[in-house]
């Protein structure tokens, strides 16, 4: 029997919600299937942030709207969460934080819990989140010694008595729960311990290291900054040059200069920063100098919703840069692909000498999920750099369609690279025939890239009447939907390489199927791309662009409408 | 065949009489007199007449985008500090489009040489004013004369902590060669602002004008005092030629990179070991 619990903590920025989320996730993930995502405002203090943690006996990977247990840490978040309260929801908080009557006539329950009082008992208001950690650990029947070790690990940079105070606060929370004798019905899963729990951002960071990344230059912009900070944190152990550029134009030009010099370099940004990088994307293509760009999407246009999520920069990525040239756009939806597609991005960039864009978004990057352990493939570290001989020509036209890439100071040749149209030598040219040859060479790269197409995953039954199509961070909610559905008539196609698209995808779209493309944007950018690139006829589109991810309930409701049948 | 030159005729796109020709001769002489091997020299240039220079020097180059030579140059140097990296381009390229990179790369103090051909006009695009154009200079765009305050790259560089700031004139070949050699040997960012006439589009600041408005710093000029150098740099009436400031060398950007603290192998030649990455996953 499928058992799942949705815990939501709502408080202000600065009340330690992120710390609490990490502690609970790290300790509960050993015994349960867990997933968490946060809904954060663009401010450093105050306002209203919520963290959702799902604890279950089956795999969970998505945001759920209905709350089972709600912890209120202040008096002004209840209104925002009212529509998420339903049968048997238990709300904890101080009397003034919520309306008991509202909860009760939704047949929920309100239990007075004064975390601040308990925190002061433990020594200071700052321990509120550790009290909550203890309380929740008690609720989930976690081993308190292991939780103590989590606290030691989390606060290891601080002095000892802060650690011991935190442990004391944890115990107070742990004991206090016992008094409320609340039982939760989620059985533990032995198998859960084979998983590693991590953020999407960490997956992308590990993928970069796995791809041989040794240089990152970027300008801070949510939600892209996380990757810059992850690689900065790892820069000593893994020998990575990390530089904060003066602007995004410098950031990508430095990445291209680094690849030209022989490094494997990446930049990270969001839509607004990437718009400034368009010219350099074109430079990468024209000079056939590889580059890798992490584009962490957030709602636009312009500044938009800095801390929310959206998938509205697919077109921005596919059409960035003036002129016509080849590129690759990869969109990880699950944590394994956060690692594998980022690793492959460096391999493809080096092999095909084109710009490669890894398209993620805030929801993917800042959610925490479980990933099975696996070992990385050395193949993607293969370097395509050659030692040059005396008469080396950077843009030599040959059968393969790709010229050997030398780097300066490695061999006897000169590596001459030009953003003007150029001849095989790399010297500027205005010869029209040479122009046509070079243009053809750059555009022909697309076919070579397609021979290495990253296949889509089909999730659910092999034969199906309805096909849901998704890319990037809708993976979790669509997979959980399919896995929870009794009827075996619907499958989900999770497309990983969103550009260029391979003809083999057509096999999934044979005529008599209903096609539903689900995207976190308003114009259905991937649906348009499928129609334009592969001529696929899309009957239904389900779109959401409030800045939030889809919830499980929303997907069930919208598919019910589309398929007009009870899900 | 002279190193850095060609043993076959090359088509140089500069206008006959352009100052760039003498800068090219001087640059090739300077590079030959320094004992650097030819394959370790790399140019990074933007777009404009001056930025074509690397096309006419037999060495590796990355001829990138207008204004973006410095970020590329700094990255090349960081990935392989054994290379001698020269960023080259005109006043519009480096001080106009690339202004933000000019400011912040002086702060970085990469060990690169920054050669800026300053003819106070946009040549390739046929005569618009550049950031260094003097007031009242009229052009097809500034039809009633430039009103903006001219950009003074030398004083800006000094205030940002540059430890090598020089100005020369394309016709002063010996002086220019000496300055370029010292700039290349200087540890850290070195700026050489090279005045030169644009014979097609700047009829005001021509050979004669530069002769009358510049002077060569005397032998006994002490270029190690920042405040004195600033005074010289701020004087735009009579422009001094020579090394205006040569301060105590500071730690370079590359020297301070964690990757080079106890391993000098350029990162371009290091291999990633997957075992330690795998440990992040299990």
């Amino acid at each position: 029997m499928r058992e799942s619990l949705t815990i939501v903590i709502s408080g202000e920025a600065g009340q330690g919600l992120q710390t609490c989320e990490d502690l609970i996730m790290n300790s509960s993930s050993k015994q349960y299937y867990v997933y968490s995502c946060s809904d954060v405002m663009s401010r450093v203090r105050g306002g209203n942030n919520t963290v959702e943690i799902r604890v279950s006996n089956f795999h969970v990977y998505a945001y759920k709207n209905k709350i089972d247990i709600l912890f209120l840490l202040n008096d002004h978040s209840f209104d925002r969460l009212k529509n998420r309260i339903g049968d048997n929801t238990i709300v904890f908080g101080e009397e003034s934080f919520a309306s008991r009557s509202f909860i009760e006539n939704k047949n929920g329950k309100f239990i007075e819990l004064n975390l601040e009082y308990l925190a002061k008992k433990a020594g200071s208001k700052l321990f509120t989140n550790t009290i909550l950690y203890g309380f929740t650990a008690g609720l989930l029947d976690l081993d308190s010694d292991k939780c103590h070790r989590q606290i030691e690990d989390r606060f290891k940079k601080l002095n000892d008595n802060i650690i011991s105070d935190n442990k004391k606060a944890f115990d107070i929370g742990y004991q206090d729960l016992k008094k409320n004798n609340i039982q939760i019905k989620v059985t533990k899963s032995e198998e859960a311990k084979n998983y590693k729990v991590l953020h999407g951002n960490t997956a992308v960071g590990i993928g970069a290291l796995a791809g041989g990344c040794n240089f990152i230059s970027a300008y801070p912009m949510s939600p892209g900054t996380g990757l810059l900070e992850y690689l900065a944190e790892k820069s000593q152990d893994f020998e990575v040059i990390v530089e904060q550029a003066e602007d995004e134009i410098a950031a990508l030009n430095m990445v291209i200069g680094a690849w030209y010099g022989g490094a494997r370099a990446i930049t990270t940004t969001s839509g607004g920063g990437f718009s400034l990088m368009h010219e350099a994307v074109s430079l990468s293509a024209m000079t056939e100098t590889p580059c890798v760009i992490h584009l962490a999407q957030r709602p636009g246009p312009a500044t938009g919703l800095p801390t929310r999520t959206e998938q509205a920069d697919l077109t921005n990525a596919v059409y960035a840069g003036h002129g016509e040239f080849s590129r690759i756009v990869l969109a990880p939806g699950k944590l394994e692909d956060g690692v594998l597609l980022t690793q492959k991005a460096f391999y493809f960039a080096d092999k095909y000498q084109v710009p490669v864009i890894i398209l993620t978004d805030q929801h993917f990057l800042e959610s925490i999920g479980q990933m099975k352990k696996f070992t990385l493939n050395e193949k993607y570290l293969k370097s395509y750099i050659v030692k040059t001989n005396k008469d080396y020509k950077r843009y030599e036209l040959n059968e393969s369609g790709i010229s050997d890439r030398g780097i300066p100071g490695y061999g006897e040749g000169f590596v001459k690279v030009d953003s003007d149209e150029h001849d095989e030598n790399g010297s500027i040219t205005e010869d029209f025939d040479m122009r046509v040859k070079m243009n053809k060479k750059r555009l022909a790269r697309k076919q070579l890239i397609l021979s290495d197409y990253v296949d889509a995953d089909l999730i659910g039954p092999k034969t199906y009447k309805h096909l849901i199509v998704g890319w990037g961070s809708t993976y979790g909610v669509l997979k959980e939907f399919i896995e929870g559905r009794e009827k075996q008539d619907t499958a989900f196609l999770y497309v990983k390489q969103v550009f260029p698209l391979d003809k083999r995808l057509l096999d999934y779209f044979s005529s008599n199927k209903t096609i539903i493309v689900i995207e976190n944007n308003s114009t259905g950018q991937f649906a348009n791309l499928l129609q334009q690139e592969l001529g696929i006829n899309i009957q239904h589109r389900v779109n959401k662009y409030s800045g939030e991810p889809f919830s499980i309930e929303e997907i069930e409701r919208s598919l019910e409408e589309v398929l007009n049948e009870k899900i | 065949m002279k190193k850095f030159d060609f043993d076959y005729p090359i088509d140089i796109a500069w206008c006959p009489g352009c100052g760039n020709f003498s800068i090219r001769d001087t640059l090739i002489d300077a590079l030959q007199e320094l004992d650097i091997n030819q394959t370790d020299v790399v140019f990074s240039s933007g777009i404009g007449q001056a930025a074509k220079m690397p096309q006419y020097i037999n060495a590796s180059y990355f001829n990138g985008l207008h204004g973006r030579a410095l970020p590329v140059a700094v990255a090349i140097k960081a990935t392989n500090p054994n290379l001698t990296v020269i960023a080259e381009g005109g006043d519009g390229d480096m001080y106009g489009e690339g202004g933000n990179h000019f400011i912040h790369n002086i702060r970085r103090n990469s060990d690169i040489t920054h050669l800026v051909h300053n003819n106070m006009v946009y040549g390739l695009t046929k005569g618009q004013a550049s950031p260094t154009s003097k007031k009242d200079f009229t052009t097809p765009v500034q039809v009633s004369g430039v009103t903006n305050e001219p950009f003074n790259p030398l004083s800006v560089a000094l205030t940002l902590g540059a430890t090598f700031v020089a100005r020369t004139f394309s016709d002063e070949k010996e002086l220019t060669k000496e300055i370029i050699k010292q700039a290349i040997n200087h540890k850290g960012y070195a700026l050489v602002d090279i005045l030169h006439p644009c014979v097609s589009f700047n009829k005001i600041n021509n050979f004669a004008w530069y002769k009358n408005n510049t002077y060569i710093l005397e032998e006994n000029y002490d270029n190690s005092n920042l405040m004195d150098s600033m005074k010289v740099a701020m004087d735009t009436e009579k422009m001094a030629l020579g090394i205006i400031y040569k301060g105590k060398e500071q730690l370079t950007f590359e020297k301070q990179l964690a990757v080079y603290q106890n391993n000098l192998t350029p990162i371009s030649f290091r291999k990633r070991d997957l075992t330690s990455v795998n440990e992040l996953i299990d």
Side-chain angles (χ1 to χ4, degrees):
Chain A
M1 220 275 282
R2 289 165 73 96
E3 299 154 342
S4 154
L5 185 73
T6 302
I7 303 168
V8 167
I9 307 168
S10 183
E12 285 166 25
Q15 279 186 298
L17 266 66
Q18 233 90 44
T19 311
C20 199
E21 176 189 15
D22 289 347
L23 289 168
I24 295 170
M25 284 296 283
N26 286 335
S27 31
S28 57
S29 77
K30 302 285 188 287
Q31 300 176 301
Y32 296 98
Y33 293 114
V34 289
Y35 173 80
S36 74
C37 57
S38 47
D39 148 24
V40 169
M41 291 185 80
S42 171
R43 52 195 292 171
V44 180
R45 285 292 177 272
N48 222 301
N49 292 348
T50 62
V51 162
E52 170 171 307
I53 297 170
R54 291 183 61 207
V55 178
S56 165
N57 69 347
F58 59 92
H59 282 295
V60 281
Y61 340 79
Y63 162 62
K64 191 154 191 228
N65 190 277
K66 160 92 185 327
I67 299 174
D68 300 318
I69 292 182
L70 172 58
F71 293 105
L72 295 170
L73 267 57
N74 62 30
D75 59 5
H76 50 78
S77 41
F78 182 67
D79 294 340
R80 273 183 79 235
L81 302 165
K82 273 183 174 163
N83 52 29
R84 298 181 59 187
I85 289 169
D87 289 353
N88 314 323
T89 304
I90 305 173
V91 180
F92 290 95
E94 291 171 33
E95 281 298 336
S96 63
F97 287 2
S99 136
R100 189 184 283 272
S101 57
F102 177 91
I103 296 167
E104 270 148 17
N105 65 40
K106 281 255 184 160
N107 60 59
K109 202 164 137 198
F110 178 79
I111 297 179
E112 218 268 328
L113 171 65
N114 192 326
L115 285 168
E116 200 167 303
Y117 164 75
L118 294 172
K120 286 201 175 105
K121 222 170 84 177
S124 122
K125 202 176 142 205
L126 291 176
F127 293 132
T128 313
N129 56 3
T130 318
I131 297 276
L132 188 53
Y133 172 40
F135 194 92
T136 314
L139 193 70
L140 299 175
D141 182 30
L142 301 179
D143 175 329
S144 54
D145 294 339
K146 288 205 177 106
C147 294
H148 279 193
R149 272 200 296 289
Q150 284 289 344
I151 290 173
E152 281 157 20
D153 185 50
R154 178 76 188 199
F155 300 115
K156 58 179 181 290
K157 295 204 186 78
L158 306 177
N159 59 47
D160 289 344
N161 51 36
I162 288 187
I163 291 175
S164 64
D165 285 351
N166 268 290
K167 282 192 211 164
K168 215 171 63 197
F170 172 86
D171 294 339
I172 291 172
Y174 200 85
Q175 299 318 329
D176 195 76
L177 168 92
K178 293 277 183 269
K179 287 200 232 92
N180 290 288
N181 56 54
I182 300 157
Q183 289 310 329
I184 58 142
K185 303 191 293 329
V186 181
T187 25
K188 294 183 179 174
S189 306
E190 243 324 280
E191 207 253 340
K193 64 178 183 323
N194 304 327
Y195 290 80
K196 184 178 167 50
V197 70
L198 72 161
H199 289 81
N201 188 68
T202 307
V204 173
I206 293 170
L209 295 173
C213 174
N214 49 20
F215 185 101
I216 176 167
S217 55
Y219 189 86
M221 183 172 186
S222 304
T225 320
L227 179 62
L228 179 64
E229 285 176 357
Y230 179 84
L231 290 175
E233 188 203 319
K234 299 289 180 210
S235 59
Q236 308 271 21
D237 303 343
F238 290 91
E239 300 171 31
V240 183
I241 292 181
V242 176
E243 179 63 3
Q244 181 174 315
E246 57 272 20
D247 55 47
E248 284 90 350
I249 298 172
L252 185 52
N253 274 280
M254 286 174 83
V255 161
I256 292 168
W259 276 91
Y260 170 75
R264 279 192 160 193
I266 187 170
T267 188
T268 179
T269 186
S270 186
F274 181 67
S275 297
L276 295 173
M277 296 180 176
H278 281 204
E279 188 191 29
V281 173
S282 196
L283 172 68
S284 161
M286 181 56 145
T287 59
E288 299 186 62
T289 307
C291 76
V292 177
I293 300 156
H294 173 233
L295 172 48
Q297 297 169 97
R298 82 193 203 184
T303 311
L305 291 166
T307 57
R308 304 302 177 175
T309 199
E310 198 162 81
Q311 297 182 300
D313 288 336
L314 170 60
T315 319
N316 190 5
V318 170
Y319 296 109
H322 51 295
E324 300 167 311
F325 52 85
S326 307
R327 79 194 66 203
I328 302 171
V329 185
L330 306 171
K334 60 181 179 186
L335 290 167
E336 294 83 347
D337 285 336
V339 179
L340 294 173
L341 295 185
T342 309
Q343 179 186 38
K344 268 188 182 159
F346 286 87
Y347 169 72
F348 284 154
D350 198 347
K351 180 174 182 182
Y352 294 110
Q353 299 179 15
V354 286
V356 179
I357 297 163
I358 306 149
L359 207 48
T360 63
D361 58 31
Q362 181 274 330
H363 182 52
F364 175 80
L365 291 169
E366 290 171 4
S367 304
I368 304 176
Q370 292 171 307
M371 180 176 82
K372 205 128 202 204
K373 299 162 185 169
F374 61 93
T375 37
L376 293 156
N377 187 335
E378 294 277 348
K379 161 185 177 185
Y380 300 114
L381 282 179
K382 174 177 170 13
S383 166
Y384 285 82
I385 290 173
V386 303
K387 197 168 194 176
T388 56
N389 48 41
K390 224 95 215 44
D391 41 31
Y392 172 72
K393 287 191 179 126
R394 173 67 186 89
Y395 298 109
E396 189 183 50
L397 294 167
N398 56 34
E399 285 319 309
S400 76
I402 300 179
S403 325
D404 285 343
R405 181 166 74 92
I407 57 173
Y410 182 53
E412 290 119 43
F414 300 120
V415 185
K416 303 186 177 192
V417 156
D418 203 327
S419 64
D420 280 89
E421 190 57 87
H422 40 258
D423 60 22
E424 294 181 72
N425 235 313
S427 309
I428 190 171
T429 183
E430 295 191 48
D431 174 304
F432 298 137
D433 298 337
M434 185 54 74
R435 158 48 179 201
V436 170
K437 284 198 196 108
M438 288 295 175
N439 211 35
K440 270 208 182 100
K441 174 192 179 198
R442 289 187 294 264
L443 286 165
R445 201 66 44 83
K446 183 173 182 177
Q447 287 321 317
L448 301 175
I449 289 165
L450 284 173
S451 67
D452 245 339
Y453 184 71
V454 181
D455 289 333
D457 282 357
L458 186 71
I459 291 148
K462 289 285 161 284
T463 52
Y464 45 83
K465 252 172 55 191
H466 317 303
L467 182 67
I468 300 170
V469 181
W471 61 281
S473 68
T474 55
Y475 168 84
V477 69
L478 297 177
K479 182 169 177 17
E480 193 171 322
F481 168 76
I482 293 287
E483 288 175 351
R485 184 170 161 75
E486 275 89 25
K487 274 198 212 130
Q488 291 302 304
D489 59 358
T490 307
F492 158 40
L493 185 67
Y494 156 49
V495 180
K496 305 182 185 194
Q497 180 171 320
V498 288
F499 194 82
L501 292 169
D502 188 54
K503 294 250 176 311
R504 275 177 289 155
L505 286 174
L506 290 172
D507 307 345
Y508 297 108
F509 294 95
S510 56
S511 55
N512 52 15
K513 306 265 185 319
T514 8
I515 311 296
I516 311 124
V517 182
I518 297 183
E519 297 179 73
N520 248 137
N521 57 45
S522 46
T523 55
Q525 295 181 15
F526 188 60
N528 297 341
L529 205 56
L530 283 170
Q531 276 171 315
Q532 179 201 307
E533 293 288 315
L534 298 177
I536 296 164
N537 171 19
I538 316 264
Q539 295 99 346
H540 304 284
R541 296 171 185 222
V542 175
N543 297 84
K544 177 172 186 180
Y545 43 91
S546 64
E548 302 159 297
F550 286 101
S551 66
I552 284 278
E553 293 94 336
E554 265 168 330
I555 291 296
E556 278 158 1
R557 253 197 326 278
S558 40
L559 282 166
E560 227 170 76
E561 276 154 36
V562 162
L563 309 177
N564 47 53
E565 46 157 279
K566 210 66 201 83
I567 293 291
Chain B
M1 192 264 291
K2 286 206 290 184
K3 265 187 1 184
F4 298 104
D5 208 336
F6 296 89
D7 50 20
Y8 49 84
I10 56 171
D11 164 27
I12 295 186
W14 295 323
C15 316
C18 171
N20 282 332
F21 283 100
S22 40
I23 297 174
R24 175 174 179 268
D25 299 342
T26 317
L27 179 55
I28 289 176
D29 291 347
L31 287 170
Q32 280 162 7
E33 288 175 17
L34 293 164
D35 68 41
I36 336 167
N37 62 57
Q38 205 173 339
T39 51
D40 284 342
V41 175
V42 188
F43 285 87
S44 168
S45 67
I47 296 298
Q49 293 292 10
K52 290 180 187 294
M53 177 68 82
Q55 304 268 338
Y56 310 136
I57 307 272
N58 203 7
S60 291
Y61 61 73
F62 189 100
N63 184 355
L65 299 168
H66 185 59
R68 315 306 171 194
L70 277 178
V72 171
V74 167
I76 294 169
K77 182 70 177 178
T79 59
N80 184 354
N82 301 334
L83 297 170
T84 298
V85 178
I86 300 171
E88 188 150 13
D91 42 336
D93 193 11
M94 295 295 184
Y95 303 145
E97 179 79 39
N100 201 30
H101 313 313
F102 176 63
I103 292 171
H104 294 286
N105 279 303
I106 292 172
R107 294 176 49 229
R108 282 200 178 91
N109 192 35
S110 284
D111 184 10
I112 61 171
T113 307
H114 192 194
L115 306 180
V116 185
H117 304 208
N118 183 357
N119 55 13
M120 305 183 192
V121 76
Y122 278 67
L124 193 54
T125 45
K126 294 195 164 61
Q128 302 75 19
S130 90
T132 52
S133 299
K134 300 293 182 192
K135 283 193 175 174
D136 310 325
F137 178 58
T138 54
T139 79
V141 169
Q142 291 81 10
V143 289
S144 42
V146 164
T147 56
N148 294 353
E149 182 63 27
F151 178 78
N152 181 337
L154 308 185
S155 52
V156 167
L158 288 175
T159 41
L160 287 164
T163 52
F164 187 102
V165 174
R167 172 196 289 127
T168 184
F169 171 40
S170 55
D171 205 41
E172 297 289 350
K173 287 190 150 188
E174 260 323 296
L175 176 67
T176 303
K177 183 180 74 174
E178 216 19 64
I179 288 175
I180 288 176
K181 283 167 70 176
Q182 287 199 44
I184 290 173
N185 286 332
H186 181 71
K187 284 279 160 283
Y189 172 83
L191 172 65
V192 184
D193 188 65
I194 309 170
L195 299 172
H196 77 101
C198 170
V199 292
S200 299
F201 297 108
N202 188 345
K203 302 298 182 196
I204 309 291
N205 315 99
N206 52 23
F207 264 103
W209 186 87
Y210 284 116
K211 277 283 171 214
N212 302 333
N213 289 279
T214 62
Y215 68 96
I216 296 181
L217 288 165
E218 313 75 26
E219 268 319 306
N220 55 21
Y221 169 76
D222 167 16
N223 60 26
S224 66
N225 179 300
L226 180 58
M227 283 311 131
D228 294 349
S229 310
M230 182 59 90
K231 247 199 260 91
V232 171
M234 297 285 290
D235 176 6
T236 50
E237 280 318 304
K238 261 280 184 238
M239 294 194 280
L241 301 179
I243 300 175
I244 294 174
Y245 180 64
K246 190 169 189 338
K248 186 165 143 316
E249 286 174 348
Q250 303 295 315
L251 281 173
T252 65
F253 176 69
E254 298 75 34
K255 267 269 170 303
Q256 298 174 86
L257 286 173
V259 295
Y260 295 126
Q261 289 320 301
N262 32 44
N263 175 356
L264 291 180
T265 317
I267 60 159
S268 300
F269 303 120
R270 300 185 196 183
K271 286 274 159 284
R272 169 66 33 80
D273 149 28
L274 271 194
T275 35
S276 44
V277 187
N278 274 317
E279 274 154 26
L280 298 173
I281 295 183
D282 66 2

